[in-house]
Protein backbone atom coordinates (compact mmCIF):
# COMPACT_ATOMS: atom_id res chain seq x y z
CA UNK A 1 0.00 0.00 0.00
CA UNK A 2 2.95 2.36 0.50
CA UNK A 3 4.44 2.23 -3.02
CA UNK A 4 1.40 3.66 -4.93
CA UNK A 5 1.24 6.49 -2.37
CA UNK A 6 4.92 7.32 -2.93
CA UNK A 7 4.45 7.24 -6.71
CA UNK A 8 1.63 9.77 -6.37
CA UNK A 9 3.73 12.01 -4.13
CA UNK A 10 6.74 11.77 -6.47
CA UNK A 11 4.58 12.83 -9.43
CA UNK A 12 3.63 15.99 -7.51
CA UNK A 13 7.16 16.55 -6.13
CA UNK A 14 5.85 16.08 -2.58
CA UNK A 15 7.96 13.16 -1.36
CA UNK A 16 8.95 13.50 2.31
CA UNK A 17 12.46 12.87 3.55
CA UNK A 18 11.01 10.54 6.19
CA UNK A 19 7.80 8.52 6.33
CA UNK A 20 6.54 7.28 9.70
CA UNK A 21 4.79 3.88 9.59
CA UNK A 22 3.46 1.49 12.19
CA UNK A 23 4.97 -1.95 12.60
CA UNK A 24 2.35 -3.60 10.39
CA UNK A 25 4.12 -2.29 7.27
CA UNK A 26 7.75 -2.84 8.21
CA UNK A 27 10.03 -5.20 6.30
CA UNK A 28 13.62 -5.06 5.15
CA UNK A 29 12.45 -5.19 1.51
CA UNK A 30 10.17 -2.19 1.99
CA UNK A 31 12.74 -0.12 3.88
CA UNK A 32 15.40 -0.79 1.25
CA UNK A 33 13.03 -0.33 -1.71
CA UNK A 34 11.68 3.02 -0.51
CA UNK A 35 15.20 4.34 0.03
CA UNK A 36 16.50 3.13 -3.34
CA UNK A 37 13.48 4.04 -5.48
CA UNK A 38 12.27 7.22 -3.81
CA UNK A 39 15.01 8.42 -1.44
CA UNK A 40 12.54 8.17 1.46
CA UNK A 41 13.68 6.94 4.87
CA UNK A 42 11.03 4.80 6.56
CA UNK A 43 10.86 5.39 10.31
CA UNK A 44 9.14 2.25 11.54
CA UNK A 45 9.73 -0.48 14.13
CA UNK A 46 10.68 -3.83 12.66
CA UNK A 47 10.04 -7.24 14.17
CA UNK A 48 12.78 -8.28 16.55
CA UNK A 49 14.73 -11.52 16.42
CA UNK A 50 12.30 -14.36 17.14
CA UNK A 51 14.84 -17.06 18.05
CA UNK A 52 14.34 -18.82 21.42
CA UNK A 53 17.47 -17.12 22.77
CA UNK A 54 16.27 -13.66 21.77
CA UNK A 55 12.75 -14.23 23.12
CA UNK A 56 14.14 -15.44 26.45
CA UNK A 57 16.66 -12.61 26.65
CA UNK A 58 19.31 -15.16 27.59
CA UNK A 59 21.96 -17.10 25.75
CA UNK A 60 23.47 -16.37 22.34
CA UNK A 61 21.06 -15.01 19.77
CA UNK A 62 21.99 -14.25 16.16
CA UNK A 63 23.72 -10.97 17.03
CA UNK A 64 26.29 -12.85 19.14
CA UNK A 65 27.69 -14.41 15.94
CA UNK A 66 30.08 -12.63 13.58
CA UNK A 67 29.06 -12.98 9.93
CA UNK A 68 31.74 -12.86 7.23
CA UNK A 69 29.67 -12.44 4.08
CA UNK A 70 32.66 -12.57 1.75
CA UNK A 71 34.00 -15.83 3.17
CA UNK A 72 30.44 -17.19 3.60
CA UNK A 73 31.19 -18.13 7.17
CA UNK A 74 29.93 -17.39 10.69
CA UNK A 75 31.96 -17.34 13.90
CA UNK A 76 30.35 -18.21 17.22
CA UNK A 77 31.04 -16.35 20.50
CA UNK A 78 33.57 -19.05 21.44
CA UNK A 79 35.54 -18.56 18.22
CA UNK A 80 34.42 -21.67 16.31
CA UNK A 81 33.50 -21.25 12.65
CA UNK A 82 30.58 -22.64 10.70
CA UNK A 83 31.04 -25.49 8.26
CA UNK A 84 27.93 -25.13 6.09
CA UNK A 85 26.49 -22.10 4.28
CA UNK A 86 23.70 -22.57 1.79
CA UNK A 87 21.06 -20.42 0.07
CA UNK A 88 17.56 -21.72 0.76
CA UNK A 89 13.89 -20.87 0.62
CA UNK A 90 12.09 -20.73 3.97
CA UNK A 91 8.31 -20.29 3.91
CA UNK A 92 8.56 -18.89 0.40
CA UNK A 93 11.26 -16.35 1.27
CA UNK A 94 14.90 -16.40 0.15
CA UNK A 95 17.25 -17.10 3.03
CA UNK A 96 20.73 -18.31 3.94
CA UNK A 97 21.09 -21.26 6.29
CA UNK A 98 24.31 -21.55 8.29
CA UNK A 99 25.23 -24.63 10.30
CA UNK A 100 27.99 -25.49 12.76
CA UNK A 101 29.49 -28.95 12.74
CA UNK A 102 27.74 -31.43 15.04
CA UNK A 103 31.16 -32.47 16.34
CA UNK A 104 31.98 -28.91 17.39
CA UNK A 105 28.95 -28.00 19.48
CA UNK A 106 28.38 -31.02 21.81
CA UNK A 107 31.55 -30.55 23.92
CA UNK A 108 31.11 -26.77 24.14
CA UNK A 109 30.78 -25.65 27.83
CA UNK A 110 28.13 -23.02 26.94
CA UNK A 111 26.11 -25.26 24.62
CA UNK A 112 22.92 -24.89 26.68
CA UNK A 113 23.05 -21.12 26.10
CA UNK A 114 23.33 -21.59 22.34
CA UNK A 115 21.16 -24.45 21.08
CA UNK A 116 18.47 -26.81 22.30
CA UNK A 117 19.53 -29.53 19.87
CA UNK A 118 20.76 -32.65 21.65
CA UNK A 119 22.83 -34.04 18.79
CA UNK A 120 23.30 -31.42 16.07
CA UNK A 121 25.18 -28.13 15.96
CA UNK A 122 23.85 -24.57 16.05
CA UNK A 123 21.92 -23.38 12.99
CA UNK A 124 21.40 -19.76 11.91
CA UNK A 125 18.95 -18.40 9.33
CA UNK A 126 19.68 -15.08 7.63
CA UNK A 127 18.12 -13.03 4.89
CA UNK A 128 20.24 -12.21 1.80
CA UNK A 129 23.11 -9.89 2.69
CA UNK A 130 21.67 -6.50 1.71
CA UNK A 131 18.33 -7.18 3.36
CA UNK A 132 19.90 -8.62 6.51
CA UNK A 133 22.16 -5.59 6.91
CA UNK A 134 19.16 -3.26 6.54
CA UNK A 135 17.24 -5.29 9.12
CA UNK A 136 20.16 -5.38 11.58
CA UNK A 137 20.60 -1.61 11.27
CA UNK A 138 16.89 -0.98 11.84
CA UNK A 139 16.83 -3.22 14.92
CA UNK A 140 19.88 -1.46 16.33
CA UNK A 141 18.31 1.95 15.75
CA UNK A 142 15.00 1.21 17.40
CA UNK A 143 16.75 0.26 20.62
CA UNK A 144 18.07 3.83 20.92
CA UNK A 145 16.20 6.31 23.15
CA UNK A 146 16.59 9.13 20.61
CA UNK A 147 14.96 6.96 17.94
CA UNK A 148 12.09 6.12 20.28
CA UNK A 149 11.53 9.78 21.07
CA UNK A 150 11.54 10.58 17.36
CA UNK A 151 9.08 7.79 16.60
CA UNK A 152 6.75 9.36 19.15
CA UNK A 153 5.61 11.52 16.24
CA UNK A 154 3.66 8.49 15.07
CA UNK A 155 1.42 8.80 18.14
CA UNK A 156 0.19 12.15 16.80
CA UNK A 157 -0.58 10.53 13.46
CA UNK A 158 -2.56 7.75 15.13
CA UNK A 159 -4.41 10.35 17.20
CA UNK A 160 -5.37 12.26 14.07
CA UNK A 161 -6.63 9.10 12.37
CA UNK A 162 -8.67 8.19 15.46
CA UNK A 163 -10.16 11.68 15.64
CA UNK A 164 -11.03 11.62 11.95
CA UNK A 165 -12.85 8.31 12.36
CA UNK A 166 -14.61 9.28 15.60
CA UNK A 167 -15.69 12.77 14.54
CA UNK A 168 -16.29 12.51 10.80
CA UNK A 169 -16.80 8.78 10.25
CA UNK A 170 -14.18 8.65 7.48
CA UNK A 171 -14.04 4.85 7.36
CA UNK A 172 -17.23 4.84 5.29
CA UNK A 173 -17.94 7.32 2.48
CA UNK A 174 -21.36 8.95 2.53
CA UNK A 175 -21.44 9.47 -1.22
CA UNK A 176 -20.81 7.51 -4.40
CA UNK A 177 -18.14 8.60 -6.85
CA UNK A 178 -14.49 9.60 -6.49
CA UNK A 179 -15.09 13.36 -6.78
CA UNK A 180 -17.80 13.42 -4.11
CA UNK A 181 -15.71 11.26 -1.79
CA UNK A 182 -12.70 13.53 -2.30
CA UNK A 183 -14.82 16.59 -1.47
CA UNK A 184 -16.07 14.84 1.68
CA UNK A 185 -12.48 14.20 2.76
CA UNK A 186 -11.54 17.83 2.16
CA UNK A 187 -14.45 19.07 4.27
CA UNK A 188 -13.57 16.53 6.99
CA UNK A 189 -9.96 17.76 7.06
CA UNK A 190 -11.11 21.39 7.34
CA UNK A 191 -13.44 20.43 10.21
CA UNK A 192 -10.64 18.66 12.08
CA UNK A 193 -8.33 21.65 11.63
CA UNK A 194 -10.98 24.01 13.02
CA UNK A 195 -11.64 21.71 16.00
CA UNK A 196 -7.94 21.54 16.80
CA UNK A 197 -7.43 25.28 16.37
CA UNK A 198 -10.33 25.95 18.72
CA UNK A 199 -8.87 23.55 21.28
CA UNK A 200 -5.44 25.17 20.96
CA UNK A 201 -6.70 28.76 21.26
CA UNK A 202 -8.84 27.92 24.30
CA UNK A 203 -6.30 25.72 26.04
CA UNK A 204 -8.35 22.51 25.89
CA UNK A 205 -6.17 19.40 25.35
CA UNK A 206 -7.55 16.82 22.93
CA UNK A 207 -5.70 13.82 24.36
CA UNK A 208 -7.97 12.66 27.16
CA UNK A 209 -6.59 9.46 28.70
CA UNK A 210 -9.07 6.61 28.63
CA UNK A 211 -9.60 4.75 31.91
CA UNK A 212 -10.71 1.13 31.54
CA UNK A 213 -13.77 -0.29 33.32
CA UNK A 214 -11.51 -2.41 35.51
CA UNK A 215 -9.41 0.59 36.52
CA UNK A 216 -12.53 2.63 37.35
CA UNK A 217 -13.82 -0.25 39.50
CA UNK A 218 -10.50 -0.41 41.33
CA UNK A 219 -10.58 3.34 42.00
CA UNK A 220 -14.16 3.21 43.27
CA UNK A 221 -13.32 0.37 45.65
CA UNK A 222 -10.28 2.23 46.93
CA UNK A 223 -12.44 5.31 47.62
Amino acid sequence: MTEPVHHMLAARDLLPAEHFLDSGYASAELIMGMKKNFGVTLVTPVLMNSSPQARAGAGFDRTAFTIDWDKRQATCPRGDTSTWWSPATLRGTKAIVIKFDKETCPPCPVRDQCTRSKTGGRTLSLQPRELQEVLDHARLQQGDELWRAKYGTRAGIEGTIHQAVAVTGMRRARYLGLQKTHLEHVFSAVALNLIRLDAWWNGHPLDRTRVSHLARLDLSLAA
Side-chain angles (χ1 to χ4, degrees):
M1 292 298 294
T2 57
E3 189 167 344
V5 172
H6 284 102
H7 276 295
M8 293 172 62
L9 293 173
R12 300 170 64 185
D13 197 26
L14 293 175
L15 279 173
E18 296 179 324
H19 191 169
F20 289 75
L21 301 178
D22 62 37
S23 59
Y25 292 90
S27 70
E29 293 90 341
L30 184 62
I31 294 172
M32 185 176 69
M34 290 299 108
K35 190 66 175 179
K36 279 187 174 182
N37 299 330
F38 300 99
V40 176
T41 298
L42 296 187
V43 182
T44 174
V46 297
L47 294 177
M48 298 304 290
N49 190 336
S50 59
S51 68
Q53 295 83 2
R55 291 197 304 269
F60 302 122
D61 65 9
R62 213 281 301 158
T63 59
F65 292 76
T66 302
I67 308 299
D68 189 326
W69 294 95
D70 296 323
K71 292 183 178 179
R72 295 162 58 93
Q73 196 171 61
T75 303
C76 79
R78 297 270 306 171
D80 291 312
T81 56
S82 61
T83 56
W84 201 73
W85 175 297
S86 178
T89 301
L90 301 177
R91 295 181 292 276
T93 302
K94 289 184 178 181
I96 296 170
V97 176
I98 303 170
K99 293 182 180 181
F100 286 79
D101 193 274
K102 63 180 180 180
E103 303 300 327
T104 300
C105 294
C108 179
V110 292
R111 175 185 175 83
D112 59 339
Q113 300 178 49
C114 191
T115 179
R116 293 183 296 182
S117 173
K118 301 301 181 182
T119 57
R122 176 65 184 265
T123 299
L124 301 175
S125 297
L126 306 179
Q127 295 193 38
R129 180 174 185 172
E130 198 170 11
L131 293 177
Q132 187 65 52
E133 289 177 343
V134 167
L135 186 60
D136 289 344
H137 179 68
R139 285 172 174 170
L140 182 64
Q141 274 192 318
Q142 70 189 46
D144 182 75
E145 289 297 330
L146 291 177
W147 185 94
R148 293 178 184 177
K150 180 179 182 179
Y151 187 70
T153 301
R154 179 68 195 180
I157 299 171
E158 294 291 344
T160 301
I161 294 173
H162 172 75
Q163 188 182 23
V165 172
V167 174
T168 70
M170 288 186 69
R171 290 200 187 279
R172 182 182 293 274
R174 293 178 173 83
Y175 310 99
L176 296 176
L178 186 60
Q179 291 183 337
K180 291 181 180 179
T181 302
H182 174 71
L183 184 61
E184 179 190 353
H185 286 177
V186 171
F187 282 144
S188 297
V190 172
L192 291 176
N193 286 338
L194 291 175
I195 291 171
R196 290 191 162 208
L197 284 172
D198 176 71
W200 174 265
W201 287 329
N202 292 286
H204 300 307
L206 293 172
D207 55 338
R208 296 183 296 276
T209 302
R210 177 181 177 273
V211 180
S212 69
H213 296 297
L214 183 61
R216 288 200 297 270
L217 178 62
D218 183 65
L219 289 173
S220 65
L221 291 175

